[in-house]
Amino acid sequence: MGRKNASRTKRRNERTKARRRKQEYGKLFNGNVWGQWEFVFIWELILAMLLGLWFYVLADTFPITDENCKHTALVVTELKISEDEAAFRDGSSGKKYKLDNGCFDLERFSAEVSEGDVLAAVISHGKVVSLSKGGSVYLDLDEMKDLHERLRPVSYPVLAIAGVWLIYIAVSWYIMYNAEKFPRLIKLFVKSEYINKNKVYRKR
């Protein structure tokens, strides 16, 4: 009796595994590739990273024009000394000033700044692009304009790579969906253990 029960349990487990494996092939790739959502996750993850990087660079290097610049005054509300020794070795001040619109690192200065000091600032798109006190300039507006102009084109190759990745996804999906037509080519996109060999390589 024990052997019969064990045999039934084994067969039932095998049927369950076969059913789950069949479900895992799914319809997205016409049942040709196992673990379809793993591919979807990787495709979407890489695409999201590329688009996120493109958007970050694009948003952080906005064009600075006279029309979108706002002149204002910012108050130093807090002063912190950096504990990073590298900040002093590379020539930066090692001081972090918290202004009334958030933290800001002043890497270049020729005059001491104290808590409560009022700094002349220029803000564009919500970001400080110029900062000075009297004759001391901590952030030069022209330099920031030039920096944004030079860095903005960096976002374009990233967007191009995202476009190439989309093409790769489209080609991969087509090959995987029609794997019976491309039994050799599919191996370039999918590991052998993920291929439904009983379907892709069945004798016709």
Side-chain angles (χ1 to χ4, degrees):
M1 182 65 68
R3 291 182 178 178
K4 289 183 178 180
N5 291 336
S7 179
R8 290 175 182 173
T9 301
K10 183 178 180 180
R11 288 197 298 270
R12 185 166 58 251
N13 291 338
E14 289 177 351
R15 287 196 298 269
T16 301
K17 290 180 180 180
R19 184 171 61 254
R20 289 178 177 176
R21 187 172 181 82
K22 185 177 180 180
Q23 292 173 351
E24 279 290 339
Y25 282 117
K27 298 179 179 180
L28 182 62
F29 301 127
N30 197 24
N32 294 325
V33 178
W34 179 80
Q36 59 182 18
W37 298 116
E38 293 183 26
F39 291 92
V40 173
F41 173 76
I42 294 174
W43 287 348
E44 291 183 345
L45 178 62
I46 295 178
L47 182 61
M49 291 174 61
L50 289 172
L51 291 179
L53 179 60
W54 166 74
F55 182 77
Y56 173 79
V57 176
L58 192 71
D60 201 50
T61 57
F62 49 84
I64 302 174
T65 63
D66 294 336
E67 290 75 16
N68 59 39
C69 285
K70 176 184 177 182
H71 293 263
T72 186
L74 298 177
V75 180
V76 180
T77 58
E78 187 178 352
L79 173 62
K80 293 182 179 180
I81 306 300
S82 173
E83 296 180 357
D84 186 6
E85 294 183 1
F88 296 94
R89 289 198 299 268
D90 65 11
S92 60
S93 67
K95 296 182 179 180
K96 178 174 290 187
Y97 298 87
K98 187 174 183 180
L99 308 177
D100 53 9
N101 77 324
C103 288
F104 198 84
D105 290 305
L106 302 181
E107 295 185 352
R108 296 171 301 172
F109 66 95
S110 58
E112 188 66 32
V113 176
S114 304
E115 293 183 17
D117 284 355
V118 179
L119 305 180
V122 176
I123 298 178
S124 179
H125 295 81
K127 182 178 179 180
V128 178
V129 294
S130 176
L131 203 58
S132 61
K133 176 190 173 185
S136 301
V137 178
Y138 309 126
L139 265 186
D140 185 78
L141 182 59
D142 291 333
E143 289 184 4
M144 288 297 292
K145 288 181 179 180
D146 180 65
L147 180 64
H148 280 214
E149 290 177 359
R150 286 187 288 106
L151 291 181
R152 193 172 182 81
V154 174
S155 67
Y156 304 144
V158 177
L159 185 61
I161 294 174
V164 172
W165 182 247
L166 279 173
I167 295 174
Y168 173 83
I169 292 175
V171 173
S172 299
W173 174 84
Y174 182 80
I175 296 297
M176 293 158 75
Y177 190 86
N178 299 282
E180 299 96 327
K181 299 179 181 179
F182 310 101
R184 296 182 179 179
L185 192 59
I186 190 176
K187 293 182 179 180
L188 298 177
F189 298 88
V190 184
K191 290 183 178 180
S192 178
E193 57 265 29
Y194 281 84
I195 300 174
N196 186 355
K197 298 179 179 61
N198 293 329
K199 185 173 183 297
V200 175
Y201 301 112
R202 70 171 182 267
K203 295 182 179 179
R204 295 173 177 79

mmCIF file of all heavy atoms in Angstrom, residues 38-65:
data_model
loop_
_atom_site.group_PDB
_atom_site.id
_atom_site.type_symbol
_atom_site.label_atom_id
_atom_site.label_comp_id
_atom_site.label_asym_id
_atom_site.label_seq_id
_atom_site.Cartn_x
_atom_site.Cartn_y
_atom_site.Cartn_z
ATOM 1 N N GLU A 38 10.704 36.488 -17.031
ATOM 2 C CA GLU A 38 12.098 36.829 -16.732
ATOM 3 C C GLU A 38 12.670 37.723 -17.835
ATOM 4 O O GLU A 38 13.366 38.705 -17.555
ATOM 5 C CB GLU A 38 12.942 35.558 -16.610
ATOM 6 C CG GLU A 38 12.591 34.692 -15.403
ATOM 7 C CD GLU A 38 13.496 33.484 -15.296
ATOM 8 O OE1 GLU A 38 14.639 33.558 -15.806
ATOM 9 O OE2 GLU A 38 13.085 32.477 -14.707
ATOM 10 N N PHE A 39 12.353 37.383 -19.069
ATOM 11 C CA PHE A 39 12.824 38.192 -20.195
ATOM 12 C C PHE A 39 12.170 39.566 -20.178
ATOM 13 O O PHE A 39 12.835 40.584 -20.412
ATOM 14 C CB PHE A 39 12.522 37.474 -21.516
ATOM 15 C CG PHE A 39 13.342 36.239 -21.742
ATOM 16 C CD1 PHE A 39 12.875 35.000 -21.336
ATOM 17 C CD2 PHE A 39 14.583 36.319 -22.343
ATOM 18 C CE1 PHE A 39 13.633 33.854 -21.535
ATOM 19 C CE2 PHE A 39 15.353 35.185 -22.563
ATOM 20 C CZ PHE A 39 14.876 33.942 -22.142
ATOM 21 N N VAL A 40 10.880 39.592 -19.907
ATOM 22 C CA VAL A 40 10.164 40.874 -19.854
ATOM 23 C C VAL A 40 10.743 41.768 -18.762
ATOM 24 O O VAL A 40 10.947 42.972 -18.971
ATOM 25 C CB VAL A 40 8.662 40.641 -19.609
ATOM 26 C CG1 VAL A 40 7.938 41.971 -19.386
ATOM 27 C CG2 VAL A 40 8.037 39.909 -20.789
ATOM 28 N N PHE A 41 11.038 41.179 -17.611
ATOM 29 C CA PHE A 41 11.592 41.951 -16.494
ATOM 30 C C PHE A 41 12.948 42.548 -16.860
ATOM 31 O O PHE A 41 13.196 43.734 -16.620
ATOM 32 C CB PHE A 41 11.738 41.067 -15.261
ATOM 33 C CG PHE A 41 12.447 41.735 -14.112
ATOM 34 C CD1 PHE A 41 11.792 42.681 -13.334
ATOM 35 C CD2 PHE A 41 13.772 41.432 -13.816
ATOM 36 C CE1 PHE A 41 12.442 43.313 -12.289
ATOM 37 C CE2 PHE A 41 14.427 42.050 -12.776
ATOM 38 C CZ PHE A 41 13.756 43.003 -12.006
ATOM 39 N N ILE A 42 13.821 41.745 -17.456
ATOM 40 C CA ILE A 42 15.154 42.225 -17.839
ATOM 41 C C ILE A 42 15.051 43.300 -18.915
ATOM 42 O O ILE A 42 15.728 44.331 -18.847
ATOM 43 C CB ILE A 42 16.034 41.053 -18.318
ATOM 44 C CG1 ILE A 42 16.311 40.090 -17.156
ATOM 45 C CG2 ILE A 42 17.347 41.570 -18.893
ATOM 46 C CD1 ILE A 42 17.051 38.838 -17.555
ATOM 47 N N TRP A 43 14.202 43.066 -19.907
ATOM 48 C CA TRP A 43 14.022 44.056 -20.971
ATOM 49 C C TRP A 43 13.564 45.392 -20.390
ATOM 50 O O TRP A 43 14.104 46.448 -20.711
ATOM 51 C CB TRP A 43 12.989 43.557 -21.977
ATOM 52 C CG TRP A 43 13.480 42.444 -22.852
ATOM 53 C CD1 TRP A 43 14.774 42.006 -22.991
ATOM 54 C CD2 TRP A 43 12.692 41.602 -23.698
ATOM 55 N NE1 TRP A 43 14.843 40.967 -23.866
ATOM 56 C CE2 TRP A 43 13.586 40.686 -24.331
ATOM 57 C CE3 TRP A 43 11.339 41.532 -23.996
ATOM 58 C CZ2 TRP A 43 13.137 39.726 -25.228
ATOM 59 C CZ3 TRP A 43 10.894 40.576 -24.897
ATOM 60 C CH2 TRP A 43 11.787 39.683 -25.502
ATOM 61 N N GLU A 44 12.546 45.337 -19.541
ATOM 62 C CA GLU A 44 11.989 46.567 -18.974
ATOM 63 C C GLU A 44 12.979 47.240 -18.030
ATOM 64 O O GLU A 44 13.051 48.470 -17.983
ATOM 65 C CB GLU A 44 10.684 46.268 -18.246
ATOM 66 C CG GLU A 44 9.549 45.866 -19.172
ATOM 67 C CD GLU A 44 8.247 45.639 -18.420
ATOM 68 O OE1 GLU A 44 8.302 45.517 -17.175
ATOM 69 O OE2 GLU A 44 7.182 45.573 -19.063
ATOM 70 N N LEU A 45 13.730 46.442 -17.270
ATOM 71 C CA LEU A 45 14.685 47.007 -16.320
ATOM 72 C C LEU A 45 15.765 47.802 -17.038
ATOM 73 O O LEU A 45 16.068 48.953 -16.680
ATOM 74 C CB LEU A 45 15.319 45.892 -15.488
ATOM 75 C CG LEU A 45 16.387 46.328 -14.471
ATOM 76 C CD1 LEU A 45 15.784 47.257 -13.433
ATOM 77 C CD2 LEU A 45 17.032 45.119 -13.806
ATOM 78 N N ILE A 46 16.364 47.201 -18.067
ATOM 79 C CA ILE A 46 17.426 47.886 -18.808
ATOM 80 C C ILE A 46 16.873 49.120 -19.514
ATOM 81 O O ILE A 46 17.510 50.181 -19.530
ATOM 82 C CB ILE A 46 18.089 46.926 -19.804
ATOM 83 C CG1 ILE A 46 18.810 45.801 -19.039
ATOM 84 C CG2 ILE A 46 19.072 47.671 -20.709
ATOM 85 C CD1 ILE A 46 19.459 44.768 -19.931
ATOM 86 N N LEU A 47 15.694 48.999 -20.094
ATOM 87 C CA LEU A 47 15.083 50.142 -20.782
ATOM 88 C C LEU A 47 14.789 51.268 -19.790
ATOM 89 O O LEU A 47 15.043 52.445 -20.096
ATOM 90 C CB LEU A 47 13.785 49.706 -21.469
ATOM 91 C CG LEU A 47 13.055 50.795 -22.261
ATOM 92 C CD1 LEU A 47 13.938 51.313 -23.391
ATOM 93 C CD2 LEU A 47 11.734 50.258 -22.814
ATOM 94 N N ALA A 48 14.292 50.914 -18.610
ATOM 95 C CA ALA A 48 13.998 51.932 -17.595
ATOM 96 C C ALA A 48 15.270 52.628 -17.130
ATOM 97 O O ALA A 48 15.282 53.849 -16.911
ATOM 98 C CB ALA A 48 13.280 51.292 -16.405
ATOM 99 N N MET A 49 16.364 51.868 -16.996
ATOM 100 C CA MET A 49 17.639 52.459 -16.588
ATOM 101 C C MET A 49 18.149 53.441 -17.639
ATOM 102 O O MET A 49 18.618 54.533 -17.302
ATOM 103 C CB MET A 49 18.661 51.348 -16.339
ATOM 104 C CG MET A 49 18.370 50.501 -15.111
ATOM 105 S SD MET A 49 19.503 49.093 -14.943
ATOM 106 C CE MET A 49 21.076 49.923 -14.810
ATOM 107 N N LEU A 50 18.072 53.054 -18.899
ATOM 108 C CA LEU A 50 18.549 53.925 -19.980
ATOM 109 C C LEU A 50 17.704 55.191 -20.075
ATOM 110 O O LEU A 50 18.244 56.301 -20.173
ATOM 111 C CB LEU A 50 18.516 53.172 -21.306
ATOM 112 C CG LEU A 50 19.556 52.056 -21.473
ATOM 113 C CD1 LEU A 50 19.287 51.253 -22.737
ATOM 114 C CD2 LEU A 50 20.962 52.634 -21.503
ATOM 115 N N LEU A 51 16.386 55.031 -20.038
ATOM 116 C CA LEU A 51 15.508 56.196 -20.123
ATOM 117 C C LEU A 51 15.639 57.079 -18.885
ATOM 118 O O LEU A 51 15.575 58.310 -18.978
ATOM 119 C CB LEU A 51 14.051 55.743 -20.291
ATOM 120 C CG LEU A 51 13.712 55.089 -21.637
ATOM 121 C CD1 LEU A 51 12.259 54.655 -21.664
ATOM 122 C CD2 LEU A 51 14.006 56.039 -22.798
ATOM 123 N N GLY A 52 15.839 56.438 -17.723
ATOM 124 C CA GLY A 52 16.029 57.207 -16.491
ATOM 125 C C GLY A 52 17.304 58.030 -16.542
ATOM 126 O O GLY A 52 17.307 59.194 -16.131
ATOM 127 N N LEU A 53 18.389 57.423 -17.048
ATOM 128 C CA LEU A 53 19.658 58.151 -17.180
ATOM 129 C C LEU A 53 19.518 59.295 -18.169
ATOM 130 O O LEU A 53 20.010 60.402 -17.936
ATOM 131 C CB LEU A 53 20.761 57.190 -17.628
ATOM 132 C CG LEU A 53 22.147 57.799 -17.845
ATOM 133 C CD1 LEU A 53 22.666 58.428 -16.562
ATOM 134 C CD2 LEU A 53 23.127 56.748 -18.350
ATOM 135 N N TRP A 54 18.846 59.023 -19.295
ATOM 136 C CA TRP A 54 18.633 60.069 -20.302
ATOM 137 C C TRP A 54 17.845 61.227 -19.721
ATOM 138 O O TRP A 54 18.224 62.385 -19.881
ATOM 139 C CB TRP A 54 17.890 59.483 -21.497
ATOM 140 C CG TRP A 54 17.335 60.543 -22.407
ATOM 141 C CD1 TRP A 54 18.030 61.325 -23.276
ATOM 142 C CD2 TRP A 54 15.972 60.957 -22.510
ATOM 143 N NE1 TRP A 54 17.186 62.205 -23.921
ATOM 144 C CE2 TRP A 54 15.912 61.997 -23.474
ATOM 145 C CE3 TRP A 54 14.793 60.548 -21.895
ATOM 146 C CZ2 TRP A 54 14.717 62.625 -23.809
ATOM 147 C CZ3 TRP A 54 13.597 61.164 -22.235
ATOM 148 C CH2 TRP A 54 13.572 62.189 -23.180
ATOM 149 N N PHE A 55 16.767 60.916 -19.012
ATOM 150 C CA PHE A 55 15.924 61.971 -18.454
ATOM 151 C C PHE A 55 16.660 62.753 -17.371
ATOM 152 O O PHE A 55 16.529 63.970 -17.269
ATOM 153 C CB PHE A 55 14.644 61.375 -17.873
ATOM 154 C CG PHE A 55 13.700 62.402 -17.316
ATOM 155 C CD1 PHE A 55 12.913 63.172 -18.168
ATOM 156 C CD2 PHE A 55 13.615 62.613 -15.954
ATOM 157 C CE1 PHE A 55 12.053 64.134 -17.659
ATOM 158 C CE2 PHE A 55 12.755 63.571 -15.434
ATOM 159 C CZ PHE A 55 11.965 64.332 -16.290
ATOM 160 N N TYR A 56 17.478 62.035 -16.574
ATOM 161 C CA TYR A 56 18.225 62.704 -15.499
ATOM 162 C C TYR A 56 19.210 63.715 -16.081
ATOM 163 O O TYR A 56 19.276 64.861 -15.622
ATOM 164 C CB TYR A 56 18.964 61.666 -14.661
ATOM 165 C CG TYR A 56 19.891 62.272 -13.639
ATOM 166 C CD1 TYR A 56 19.404 62.787 -12.438
ATOM 167 C CD2 TYR A 56 21.274 62.341 -13.873
ATOM 168 C CE1 TYR A 56 20.254 63.360 -11.502
ATOM 169 C CE2 TYR A 56 22.120 62.909 -12.945
ATOM 170 C CZ TYR A 56 21.612 63.405 -11.764
ATOM 171 O OH TYR A 56 22.460 63.971 -10.848
ATOM 172 N N VAL A 57 19.977 63.287 -17.078
ATOM 173 C CA VAL A 57 20.949 64.200 -17.702
ATOM 174 C C VAL A 57 20.235 65.344 -18.395
ATOM 175 O O VAL A 57 20.631 66.513 -18.292
ATOM 176 C CB VAL A 57 21.843 63.438 -18.708
ATOM 177 C CG1 VAL A 57 22.778 64.405 -19.423
ATOM 178 C CG2 VAL A 57 22.647 62.366 -17.995
ATOM 179 N N LEU A 58 19.146 65.029 -19.089
ATOM 180 C CA LEU A 58 18.405 66.054 -19.823
ATOM 181 C C LEU A 58 17.806 67.081 -18.866
ATOM 182 O O LEU A 58 17.881 68.289 -19.105
ATOM 183 C CB LEU A 58 17.297 65.405 -20.653
ATOM 184 C CG LEU A 58 16.613 66.306 -21.681
ATOM 185 C CD1 LEU A 58 17.573 66.603 -22.831
ATOM 186 C CD2 LEU A 58 15.344 65.645 -22.211
ATOM 187 N N ALA A 59 17.224 66.599 -17.767
ATOM 188 C CA ALA A 59 16.577 67.508 -16.818
ATOM 189 C C ALA A 59 17.592 68.319 -16.027
ATOM 190 O O ALA A 59 17.301 69.453 -15.622
ATOM 191 C CB ALA A 59 15.689 66.699 -15.860
ATOM 192 N N ASP A 60 18.769 67.751 -15.800
ATOM 193 C CA ASP A 60 19.769 68.430 -14.972
ATOM 194 C C ASP A 60 20.641 69.385 -15.781
ATOM 195 O O ASP A 60 21.449 70.113 -15.211
ATOM 196 C CB ASP A 60 20.658 67.387 -14.281
ATOM 197 C CG ASP A 60 21.348 67.962 -13.048
ATOM 198 O OD1 ASP A 60 20.657 68.569 -12.211
ATOM 199 O OD2 ASP A 60 22.575 67.806 -12.938
ATOM 200 N N THR A 61 20.500 69.371 -17.095
ATOM 201 C CA THR A 61 21.309 70.255 -17.945
ATOM 202 C C THR A 61 20.401 71.136 -18.801
ATOM 203 O O THR A 61 20.650 71.334 -19.983
ATOM 204 C CB THR A 61 22.247 69.434 -18.851
ATOM 205 O OG1 THR A 61 21.460 68.520 -19.633
ATOM 206 C CG2 THR A 61 23.253 68.656 -18.035
ATOM 207 N N PHE A 62 19.349 71.636 -18.190
ATOM 208 C CA PHE A 62 18.389 72.483 -18.890
ATOM 209 C C PHE A 62 19.076 73.743 -19.424
ATOM 210 O O PHE A 62 20.048 74.233 -18.844
ATOM 211 C CB PHE A 62 17.262 72.880 -17.935
ATOM 212 C CG PHE A 62 17.761 73.414 -16.618
ATOM 213 C CD1 PHE A 62 18.132 74.742 -16.468
ATOM 214 C CD2 PHE A 62 17.882 72.573 -15.526
ATOM 215 C CE1 PHE A 62 18.617 75.226 -15.262
ATOM 216 C CE2 PHE A 62 18.364 73.051 -14.312
ATOM 217 C CZ PHE A 62 18.723 74.385 -14.186
ATOM 218 N N PRO A 63 18.593 74.289 -20.548
ATOM 219 C CA PRO A 63 19.165 75.529 -21.079
ATOM 220 C C PRO A 63 18.927 76.683 -20.104
ATOM 221 O O PRO A 63 17.818 76.871 -19.599
ATOM 222 C CB PRO A 63 18.393 75.746 -22.383
ATOM 223 C CG PRO A 63 17.840 74.406 -22.732
ATOM 224 C CD PRO A 63 17.561 73.726 -21.440
ATOM 225 N N ILE A 64 19.966 77.441 -19.828
ATOM 226 C CA ILE A 64 19.853 78.596 -18.932
ATOM 227 C C ILE A 64 19.786 79.860 -19.783
ATOM 228 O O ILE A 64 20.738 80.211 -20.471
ATOM 229 C CB ILE A 64 21.060 78.672 -17.975
ATOM 230 C CG1 ILE A 64 21.168 77.381 -17.155
ATOM 231 C CG2 ILE A 64 20.929 79.867 -17.044
ATOM 232 C CD1 ILE A 64 22.415 77.314 -16.286
ATOM 233 N N THR A 65 18.633 80.513 -19.749
ATOM 234 C CA THR A 65 18.435 81.747 -20.514
ATOM 235 C C THR A 65 18.028 82.868 -19.567
ATOM 236 O O THR A 65 17.621 82.622 -18.424
ATOM 237 C CB THR A 65 17.345 81.563 -21.585
ATOM 238 O OG1 THR A 65 16.089 81.271 -20.933
ATOM 239 C CG2 THR A 65 17.691 80.406 -22.522
#
